[in-house]
Amino acid sequence: MKKLGLLITVKAKKEKVDDVKAFLSNAVNLAREEKETITWYSFQIDESTFGIFDTFEDESGREAHLNGKIAKELMENAPELLAEEPSIKKIDVMSSK
């Protein structure tokens, strides 16, 4: 059951928009390897702002994701790709379909 989530937004540097888009599009393959990640979405908000939304059954799954490959690769490449620090918000899922 989806009880917890993460809502992450990132703002790409203008010259790195395509790189961020490619990174997020391909990161779904890493998310598929995470047994405790129930759902994982990447999306584009505007020309240079992107997001990730994912859900978990419990806090251990959410923490595993925050310490997993996607987060590690994103943070390692953040200075080169991003115009500002990622916004990472832990959320509680109230309802879903």
Side-chain angles (χ1 to χ4, degrees):
M1 182 174 184
K2 303 171 218 171
K3 296 180 183 177
L4 304 174
L6 289 169
L7 179 60
I8 301 160
T9 55
V10 297
K11 185 153 187 80
K13 291 180 178 178
K14 289 189 180 204
E15 68 276 10
K16 296 294 183 175
V17 167
D18 290 338
D19 294 332
V20 172
K21 187 183 287 190
F23 173 82
L24 292 175
S25 295
N26 293 321
V28 70
N29 296 315
L30 295 174
R32 288 182 179 130
E33 296 174 8
E34 299 177 348
K35 294 178 184 176
E36 294 180 307
T37 300
I38 298 172
T39 59
W40 189 93
Y41 303 90
S42 65
F43 53 91
Q44 188 167 2
I45 298 169
D46 60 32
E47 184 180 326
S48 61
T49 308
F50 299 87
I52 298 170
F53 173 72
D54 35 23
T55 61
F56 313 90
E57 184 174 325
D58 55 33
E59 188 61 36
S60 67
R62 181 161 61 183
E63 287 302 315
H65 179 71
L66 284 170
N67 293 301
K69 291 179 184 178
I70 298 170
K72 181 181 176 187
E73 287 185 29
L74 180 62
M75 296 313 290
E76 285 176 355
N77 293 295
E80 177 188 339
L81 297 176
L82 305 180
E84 56 192 47
E85 289 290 314
S87 169
I88 302 171
K89 295 179 180 164
K90 292 182 177 182
I91 62 168
D92 295 328
V93 176
M94 295 174 27
S95 62
S96 66
K97 178 180 173 185

